[in-house]
Amino acid sequence: VQLQASGGGLVQTGGSLRLSCAASGTIASINDMAWYRQAPGKQRELVAQITRGGNTNILDSVKDRFTISRDNAKKTVYLQSNNLKPEDTAVYYCKAIILPTAGYWRDYWGQGTLVTVSS
């Protein structure tokens, strides 16, 4: 089982990016999916999470700018980030709670995608 994140890049203040994270492998089921971020010198923080049924929880500081969604058929979670600010600069990681076809429920992490917002 693997998670592959993509969509990061360099953007100016006020710009937008759409991050994607696709799960692959022998998967029986996927529960919660989430995006975290880690800025230089700071701890990793939860940005947004979404349940299998579509309920979401989003970090207060980005709630009016970021949206999380998922496509269960594609085993993919998205993070739409609008009106980006320099303080959003970080490596963004996706995480999913996955049940492999032969195994048990556990957390899987993507490799991270860098978002850089220039002022």
Side-chain angles (χ1 to χ4, degrees):
V1 174
Q2 289 186 330
L3 291 178
Q4 181 69 43
S6 61
L10 174 63
V11 63
Q12 291 185 333
T13 296
S16 298
L17 285 174
R18 188 190 195 209
L19 306 184
S20 299
C21 177
S24 62
T26 53
I27 296 171
S29 186
I30 301 176
N31 204 337
D32 293 359
M33 305 183 84
W35 288 96
Y36 288 72
R37 68 184 181 186
Q38 188 165 18
K42 294 188 176 181
Q43 290 188 334
R44 190 173 298 188
E45 65 177 350
L46 174 65
V47 177
Q49 61 185 21
I50 184 168
T51 67
R52 182 174 178 81
N55 293 319
T56 63
N57 179 38
I58 301 176
L59 183 67
D60 283 346
S61 61
V62 305
K63 189 168 292 186
D64 58 343
R65 301 184 292 118
F66 289 14
T67 302
I68 188 170
S69 61
R70 65 190 284 173
D71 184 328
N72 290 331
K74 294 182 178 179
K75 301 183 180 66
T76 300
V77 63
Y78 306 96
L79 185 70
Q80 178 67 44
S81 52
N82 300 325
N83 191 20
L84 283 160
K85 303 176 180 181
E87 52 263 41
D88 296 318
T89 294
V91 177
Y92 284 70
Y93 299 90
C94 57
K95 189 191 83 171
I97 303 174
I98 296 175
L99 176 66
T101 54
Y104 51 89
W105 287 102
R106 52 158 282 195
D107 292 350
Y108 288 84
W109 289 86
Q111 84 284 10
T113 184
L114 177 62
V115 172
T116 303
V117 185
S118 63
S119 58

